[in-house]
Amino acid sequence: CRIEPLNMASSDRTVLQFSSSSSSSQSFSAKVHPLVIFNICDCYVRRPDQADRVIGTLLGSVLPDGTVDIRNSYAVPHNESIEQVALDIEYHHNMLVSHQKVNPKEIIVGWYSTGLGVTGGSALIHEFYSREVQNPIHLTVDTGFTNGGGTIKAYVSNNLSLGERQIAAQFQEIPLDLRMVEAERIGFDMLKATAVDKIPSDLEGMEASMQHLLVLIDDIYKYVDDVVEGRVAPDNKIGRFISDAVGSLPKVSPRVFDKLVNDSLQDHLLLLYLSSITRTQLSLAEKLNTAAQIL
């Protein structure tokens, strides 16, 4: 592979990092699918022994409201030192062509790196992706659990100039929405944990989902009570969300609802039992076939 150095030493560029609380404008936002996070973590586990972090390209689209939707990613080989950063640009372009053959609507929306926050080399890499796409997103995933968990943040960058001279790269954190279904959330919560005793079963996952749902319902009850009592100013947008959620619930009696849940649970347990019997039967057939060939 051909590694091409970027045209500026990292020590020549000052990097400024600002949190989302210091932003004067929150109009720019992004949302990321959990598959991207899992893919980044997998690339980090498979990284070369001498590599401190991995970087890669983010693919997705820009929604009509301006939100950047990050749906896919791939790692890009690179070498990084105090003096310079080098990327395999040819590999990056070949991977982009291969991905767009499968998903032609996905375009480059930015790049990612593992670690907490931005570094001096981040400015150089971001400058390269700025030539690939306008206003690229920089996604950081803390795979080292620096703060006791996997921190995920998104940034955009602006160059600070004095006359014609660029003196610093300003990375501003933007709102990041990590949307996922409940099964993906359970897996993501396990991924964020520093130690896991065992993978939860389907019933344990369902129990965790119900507990999370009860917490959300309690929060809604508290908010509605606070609005009614005048402790919190009413928000029409939140009220419409609550109204839509309540209106989408089917009107069934508790007895019928319990029957539906129990029937569904029994069907699920039956499928698990049948799949276990099938695996056992296939294993026995394979062992008998092996024994017959030996005899």
Side-chain angles (χ1 to χ4, degrees), residues 38-52:
F38 296 147
N39 188 23
I40 293 174
C41 293
D42 180 68
C43 293
Y44 180 77
V45 172
R46 300 171 185 270
R47 73 190 188 283
D49 294 336
Q50 69 276 11
D52 294 329

Side-chain angles (χ1 to χ4, degrees), residues 140-284:
T140 62
V141 180
D142 181 20
T143 52
F145 300 93
T146 304
N147 296 328
T151 304
I152 304 171
K153 295 184 178 181
Y155 300 88
V156 292
S157 176
N158 294 311
N159 290 324
L160 301 181
S161 302
L162 183 61
E164 296 182 355
R165 180 185 176 187
Q166 295 182 358
I167 59 175
Q170 173 186 340
F171 281 85
Q172 176 65 60
E173 185 180 349
I174 63 173
L176 180 65
D177 183 12
L178 185 58
R179 292 188 176 180
M180 58 188 75
V181 299
E182 195 60 33
E184 293 170 335
R185 182 176 297 279
I186 294 172
F188 181 71
D189 290 340
M190 292 186 59
L191 183 66
K192 292 192 299 181
T194 55
V196 177
D197 295 332
K198 66 183 184 69
I199 298 177
S201 63
D202 292 336
L203 290 178
E204 292 172 341
M206 181 181 296
E207 181 182 1
S209 300
M210 292 298 102
Q211 292 176 351
H212 180 65
L213 179 60
L214 289 175
V215 171
L216 294 178
I217 293 176
D218 289 339
D219 290 340
I220 294 176
Y221 269 121
K222 184 178 183 302
Y223 173 77
V224 173
D225 290 340
D226 290 341
V227 171
V228 172
E229 296 296 333
R231 292 188 293 267
V232 176
D235 189 326
N236 293 333
K237 186 176 181 180
I238 297 178
R240 284 193 294 269
F241 279 134
I242 296 176
S243 177
D244 292 341
V246 173
S248 63
L249 296 175
K251 295 182 179 180
V252 295
S253 63
R255 182 180 58 82
V256 175
F257 180 77
D258 290 341
K259 185 177 183 302
L260 290 174
V261 172
N262 291 330
D263 291 345
S264 177
L265 181 60
Q266 290 176 2
D267 293 342
H268 183 68
L269 293 176
L270 178 61
L271 288 176
L272 291 178
Y273 178 70
L274 292 176
S275 62
S276 177
I277 292 178
T278 303
R279 286 195 300 268
T280 303
Q281 184 177 2
L282 291 175
S283 178
L284 288 175

